Amino acid sequence: MIKDRPRIRLYYISMLPLVLAFIFFSGCNVTKTVPENDALFTGYNVTVKGEKDSSNRSADLETELSATVRPEPNASILGWRPKLGIYNAFYTEKEKGIKHWIMTKLGEPPVLLSEVDTGSISTVMSNRLHNRGYFNNTVSSSATIEKKKATIDWTARVGEPYRLRNIKYTWHDSLQVQEAIEQVEPESLLQPGDPYDLSVMTQERIRIAGDLKNKGYYFFSPELLIYSVDTTVGNRQADVLLRIKRAAPARALKPYSLDDIYIFANYSMGDSLSVRDTIDYKGYHYIPNENYVRARHLLRNVFLEHDSLYTRQEHLLTVKRLNSLSAYKFVNIDYEVDTLNNNELDAFIYLTPALKKSLRAEVKMVTKSNGFAGPGLSVSFRNRNAFKGSELLIVEFTGSTESQIGGRGTGEAPEGVEDVDNTDLTSYELGVQTTLAIPRIVSPFNIRNLRTEFSPQTRIGLGFNFLSRAGFYQLNSYNASYAYNWRPKEELTFDVTPINLQFVRLASTTDAFEAVLEDAPFLRRSFENQFIIGSIYQATYSTQMHTDRTSLLFDRLTLDLSGNLVSGVQSLIGAESPTDDDPRTIIGQPYSQYVLLDNDFRYYLNIGEESQLVARLVTGIGYSYGNSSTLPYVKQFAVGGPNSLRAFRARSVGPGAYDADETAFSFFDQTGDIRLESNLEYRFPIFGFFKGAVFVDAGNVWMLRQEFNDKGEPARPGGVFDSSTFLRQLAVGTGFGLRIDIEFFVIRLDVGIPVRIPYLPRGERFVLGDFDGSFSGENGMVLNIAIGYPF
């Protein structure tokens, strides 16, 4: 029975197109469930006609008015309405059963013409136009019905909008707020000659209230400002008068300074607010004691000061900085008028601790497109307040195994290496990584506290990893790092690792692996025991947090340096110049010397509410010199895999036009000194949490210098970068994907189809014509299963 399971799976896979075809053709009759004497509402159009309108706002007005149409027609993709198609295909009058569940949960009933109240929508549109200065406007609609499908056309006719003539801010001289208002008036959003616009007038009220909030007016709000508009002055003009309501409370019209500031550093709901156990520290009342987070560490994130003027800006900065501390899960700040001085406020900062310690275990199954798979286990311990300064300590233990379960790698096993069967262990990996994240800059130099919304961070890392490849080698790697991270503003992040130490050591090798290294000097040098001693500098610019924008950007630039400082010191003390056979050493081991520059650029274009076009360009170059003739293996570039070229195995492409043949047998990947990779992906909704995508990927890696074997022959012919041929050596793939996006995580299935294979002879590299729809063979499809979006 076990041997028949693949046939069963293939049967269901082969039936899938038939099921999809059934849904598609059932959905072709979109009016199947539309009642008699009604029609399916399929679309609408809004046109604004204003021949005498000099404001040139027709396009913006049409977009604004279109947003008022309710309900929206059934969702469509290239004219096909998938959710309506499912509803029609599984339509049943029964109120239970699988068909009813599919119809109601995955499908969508037809949106009918009778559900569209054109009169009410026209009234809303007219009101919107009135708010934009078109006090005399008309809105009409007409419906077109053909074969039980209806479209509606709205036409709005407008003239020249009313424009602002005089703008006056009338205040009472006796009010203390007068001077503050006069200071912000020059930055007014209302200017003479501008079209009357209610939304701009509302924004002006918010702007003034916000400025006053930052001048101590804690109780002031936009609702205390009121407009008077006179449209009878003639010539389509309006005079605007802005004033404070006469009923405004007195406390809203005067500024406040801060008196006592109480910090409840270990607060929980229901706690008594007694201040008996109070520590006075630098003018703050710290309650109850320092048994949780020490005051000197906490106060670096508090920007409210005794005797200072209350400002909304300092309030928000304090809230955001305290929220970034791992020791706390809730932050709240309240203010009360001081009981002795009614011109001052007392501030109460309530900090609710997060769960201090936690243990997390994760079991995962790793499947690779080259036929290797195996289980993995990750166990992590977290302490969110390790040393009473909100330090986050993470200790993570990982382990995984990989066995060959679906054929073997792309090449034949090297001579002397026995083929492994499906039950033999191919490799296993064990590791431990400790990271301490400190929410402040820890430095031998005195650095002032950064006034940013995001708490600066110092990271200290220490780890060890052991990898055993059965039949080939065992590898030990050690790492230690000291890094800083800070965000001067929301879109920009700097990550500086001044100390980055790694040591890689081959613990043991087999004769077969030594034979391969003997024939490939470049690979031997990559695997030599060596230190990586250097620094990493990274800058990231991203606007992805602004989800309301049409286009979004992401760019990450990385500079990785190693060996320069050590080499400079050794040169100063008179060390001999290094050679390939006799490099300089530290503690008897050579060290790497290189410079590496990498850039990852992405552009996101939002099309509609859920569709998105994403373009990505990744470039990188690494150059070894001085004490190294090649980049360390762990620093070399590679392409291919679920987040790269999805039509090719992970790290299996290149360099250049080089054909790896038998050296691609499972234990090392194709790498290079230069990387060029580009991706274009269109993402669109299908229904519910099912999303779709189509994509095109292209890229390759190349060497900077030719490498030779012991016979003096090129070790990887066709792998050196050549500006005149590199475009012809790009690997190209296309494909489609299905994503299950349930907000907090995404399961992704991408099917990659090879289009161009660079290592084939010229004239034979385009292989799309040989595509047969199978997952087998050199030109077959590749299934990528991953978590999260590729970029």
Side-chain angles (χ1 to χ4, degrees):
M1 293 301 292
I2 294 178
K3 295 181 178 180
D4 289 336
R5 288 179 180 174
R7 294 184 179 181
I8 296 173
R9 287 197 296 266
L10 287 175
Y11 170 78
Y12 284 116
I13 292 175
S14 64
M15 290 296 293
L16 181 59
L18 297 178
V19 175
L20 294 176
F22 170 70
I23 295 175
F24 176 79
F25 287 113
S26 297
C28 287
N29 183 15
V30 292
T31 60
K32 175 182 177 181
T33 55
V34 174
E36 292 296 330
N37 301 321
D38 211 335
L40 178 70
F41 179 41
T42 59
Y44 58 91
N45 183 56
V46 178
T47 304
V48 176
K49 294 184 177 181
E51 291 80 3
K52 298 181 180 181
D53 182 7
S54 62
S55 65
N56 297 318
R57 296 185 294 173
S58 294
D60 292 339
L61 292 173
E62 289 172 355
T63 301
E64 181 180 352
L65 298 183
S66 296
T68 65
V69 178
R70 293 290 184 275
E72 288 277 350
N74 295 99
S76 64
I77 302 173
L78 301 177
W80 180 47
R81 305 178 190 275
K83 298 184 74 172
L84 178 58
I86 294 174
Y87 183 90
N88 289 338
F90 293 91
Y91 178 77
T92 178
E93 295 183 357
K94 296 180 180 179
E95 296 185 357
K96 58 183 179 179
I98 185 63
K99 290 185 66 177
H100 177 266
W101 185 89
I102 296 176
M103 179 186 73
T104 55
K105 298 299 182 181
L106 304 182
E108 180 182 70
V111 178
L112 304 177
L113 177 62
S114 59
E115 299 173 359
V116 184
D117 188 344
T118 55
S120 296
I121 294 173
S122 296
T123 300
V124 173
M125 289 184 179
S126 181
N127 291 337
R128 292 289 182 92
L129 292 171
H130 187 279
N131 293 340
R132 297 293 291 271
Y134 302 96
F135 298 143
N136 301 313
N137 67 78
T138 59
V139 180
S140 60
S141 65
S142 62
T144 302
I145 303 175
E146 185 177 349
K147 296 181 179 179
K148 297 189 72 173
K149 299 177 184 178
T151 58
I152 303 176
D153 294 309
W154 273 276
T155 302
R157 290 178 171 82
V158 299
E160 179 70 12
Y162 276 69
R163 294 181 180 273
L164 304 182
R165 190 182 71 166
N166 296 318
I167 301 106
K168 294 184 179 180
Y169 295 74
T170 300
W171 318 103
H172 297 288
D173 292 339
S174 59
L175 294 178
Q176 192 174 355
V177 76
Q178 168 76 14
E179 183 179 353
I181 294 292
E182 290 177 349
Q183 291 176 355
V184 302
E185 184 177 344
E187 300 176 2
S188 174
L189 302 178
L190 305 178
Q191 299 297 325
D194 287 349
Y196 173 95
D197 195 320
L198 182 60
S199 63
V200 176
M201 297 170 71
T202 302
Q203 293 171 20
E204 174 66 2
R205 292 200 314 169
I206 295 173
R207 184 192 70 86
I208 293 174
D211 285 341
L212 292 179
K213 286 280 191 181
N214 285 323
K215 296 180 183 296
Y217 293 85
Y218 173 74
F219 292 103
F220 199 89
S221 64
E223 292 74 22
L224 298 179
L225 296 171
I226 187 171
Y227 285 103
S228 296
V229 181
D230 183 4
T231 60
T232 65
V233 296
N235 199 25
R236 291 182 178 269
Q237 291 183 322
D239 289 343
V240 177
L241 177 68
L242 181 60
R243 60 181 176 83
I244 295 177
K245 290 181 179 179
R246 294 183 177 86
R251 67 176 188 174
L253 305 179
K254 62 180 180 180
Y256 289 84
S257 58
L258 298 180
D259 186 21
D260 292 321
I261 302 173
Y262 298 90
I263 302 175
F264 295 86
N266 195 1
Y267 175 77
S268 62
M269 294 297 294
D271 278 359
S272 170
L273 300 185
S274 171
V275 294
R276 292 191 305 272
D277 301 326
T278 302
I279 298 175
D280 288 330
Y281 183 83
K282 293 185 176 181
Y284 295 89
H285 304 296
Y286 197 79
I287 306 167
N289 50 50
E290 293 190 305
N291 288 337
Y292 192 62
V293 176
R294 294 191 177 96
R296 63 188 178 93
H297 295 317
L298 185 67
L299 291 181
R300 297 177 64 89
N301 303 283
V302 177
F303 296 90
L304 308 178
E305 298 181 4
H306 175 69
D307 283 341
S308 67
L309 198 66
Y310 164 84
T311 70
R312 183 68 174 172
Q313 183 178 1
E314 303 296 341
H315 167 89
L316 294 176
L317 181 59
T318 300
V319 170
K320 291 182 178 180
R321 284 288 290 267
L322 291 174
N323 267 319
S324 69
L325 300 181
S326 61
Y328 297 104
K329 63 178 179 180
F330 298 122
V331 175
N332 187 39
I333 303 180
D334 286 338
Y335 299 89
E336 295 180 4
V337 177
D338 188 76
T339 55
L340 300 178
N341 188 340
N342 62 5
N343 291 323
E344 293 183 340
L345 297 174
D346 293 334
F348 300 86
I349 303 175
Y350 303 107
L351 304 174
T352 303
L355 181 65
K356 183 178 180 181
K357 297 178 182 180
S358 63
L359 188 65
R360 177 180 178 181
E362 181 180 356
V363 179
K364 52 189 176 182
M365 179 68 180
V366 180
T367 303
K368 298 183 178 179
S369 56
N370 58 354
F372 289 85
L377 176 65
S378 173
V379 179
S380 62
F381 167 78
R382 289 174 178 253
N383 187 330
R384 295 175 176 82
N385 189 28
F387 304 105
K388 295 187 178 181
S390 191
E391 302 89 355
L392 176 61
L393 175 66
I394 303 176
V395 182
E396 184 174 22
F397 299 89
T398 58
S400 64
T401 66
E402 291 181 14
S403 297
Q404 192 178 42
I405 61 172
R408 57 186 178 197
T410 59
E412 299 294 332
E415 183 179 354
V417 179
E418 183 178 349
D419 285 344
V420 290
D421 58 35
N422 291 347
T423 60
D424 287 343
L425 177 68
T426 301
S427 72
Y428 65 90
E429 188 171 3
L430 300 172
V432 58
Q433 183 70 36
T434 301
T435 303
L436 178 64
I438 306 171
R440 53 193 173 274
I441 298 295
V442 179
S443 167
F445 310 103
N446 186 19
I447 300 177
R448 65 182 179 85
N449 189 23
L450 300 176
R451 292 179 57 84
T452 62
E453 294 181 359
F454 308 92
S455 179
Q457 190 177 86
T458 301
R459 290 195 318 275
I460 303 173
L462 188 64
F464 167 75
N465 193 76
F466 173 77
L467 173 65
S468 176
R469 292 279 189 177
F472 302 117
Y473 61 84
Q474 293 182 343
L475 187 70
N476 293 329
S477 61
Y478 309 83
N479 71 81
S481 63
Y482 193 93
Y484 299 112
N485 176 279
W486 73 96
R487 295 175 66 180
K489 57 182 182 179
E490 190 175 20
E491 297 86 359
L492 187 61
T493 303
F494 292 105
D495 202 299
V496 176
T497 307
I499 302 175
N500 178 48
L501 305 178
Q502 290 179 259
F503 179 64
V504 180
R505 183 175 69 89
L506 274 174
S508 62
T509 59
T510 64
D511 294 339
F513 186 67
E514 289 292 343
V516 173
L517 296 183
E518 189 68 26
D519 292 336
F522 70 92
L523 187 62
R524 181 180 65 247
R525 289 192 294 270
S526 297
F527 272 94
E528 286 177 345
N529 298 346
Q530 57 189 303
F531 280 103
I532 298 176
I533 305 176
S535 304
I536 301 176
Y537 306 91
Q538 190 174 84
T540 302
Y541 176 80
S542 176
T543 61
Q544 291 178 282
M545 70 289 299
H546 303 303
T547 55
D548 57 330
R549 296 184 182 179
T550 301
S551 59
L552 305 172
L553 294 176
F554 174 92
D555 190 59
R556 175 178 291 144
L557 179 65
T558 304
L559 176 63
D560 188 347
L561 306 170
S562 175
N564 299 309
L565 180 61
V566 177
S567 178
V569 172
Q570 290 184 337
S571 295
L572 288 176
I573 62 178
E576 294 185 2
S577 298
T579 64
D580 290 350
D581 297 327
D582 188 20
R584 291 173 176 175
T585 62
I586 296 179
I587 321 176
Q589 299 293 338
Y591 59 87
S592 296
Q593 190 172 6
Y594 65 83
V595 56
L596 185 149
L597 188 65
D598 189 48
N599 191 72
D600 184 351
F601 173 80
R602 309 170 194 177
Y603 176 76
Y604 301 83
L605 178 63
N606 294 321
I607 304 172
E609 293 186 1
E610 296 187 67
S611 298
Q612 189 178 60
L613 182 66
V614 186
R616 179 179 182 234
L617 178 64
V618 182
T619 56
I621 183 170
Y623 180 71
S624 58
Y625 55 94
N627 209 50
S628 299
S629 59
T630 183
L631 290 174
Y633 185 71
V634 295
K635 294 293 182 177
Q636 294 177 10
F637 297 111
V639 294
N643 296 324
S644 179
L645 275 63
R646 284 160 282 187
F648 300 88
R649 286 196 302 112
R651 304 169 65 87
S652 67
V653 178
Y658 173 61
D659 186 359
D661 54 57
E662 70 176 25
T663 61
F665 183 81
S666 77
F667 59 84
F668 75 94
D669 307 313
Q670 299 307 107
T671 58
D673 307 314
I674 298 176
R675 171 172 61 172
L676 176 61
E677 180 183 341
S678 62
N679 312 86
L680 185 65
E681 179 170 292
Y682 176 63
R683 301 168 182 169
F684 54 88
I686 299 178
F687 57 84
F689 44 74
F690 289 97
K691 316 292 181 182
V694 292
F695 56 82
V696 177
D697 304 324
N700 207 330
V701 295
W702 294 268
M703 300 180 297
L704 273 176
R705 294 169 287 211
Q706 186 62 268
E707 300 164 340
F708 300 92
N709 58 26
D710 293 339
K711 300 177 183 179
E713 301 170 341
R716 292 187 282 182
V720 176
F721 180 82
D722 187 336
S723 60
S724 62
T725 62
F726 78 98
L727 289 176
R728 296 197 297 267
Q729 295 176 351
L730 291 176
V732 181
T734 187
F736 55 92
L738 175 68
R739 289 84 191 274
I740 304 173
D741 188 344
I742 50 180
E743 294 187 359
F744 55 91
F745 79 96
V746 177
I747 300 175
R748 174 165 55 92
L749 293 89
D750 286 337
V751 175
I753 303 171
V755 174
R756 195 171 190 273
I757 299 179
Y759 62 76
L760 294 178
R762 293 185 61 180
E764 302 178 14
R765 293 177 179 175
F766 283 96
V767 298
L768 192 59
D770 301 328
F771 176 65
D772 60 2
S774 69
F775 287 92
S776 61
E778 188 175 29
N779 302 334
M781 298 187 296
V782 176
L783 175 63
N784 299 274
I785 304 175
I787 301 295
Y789 285 98
F791 41 81

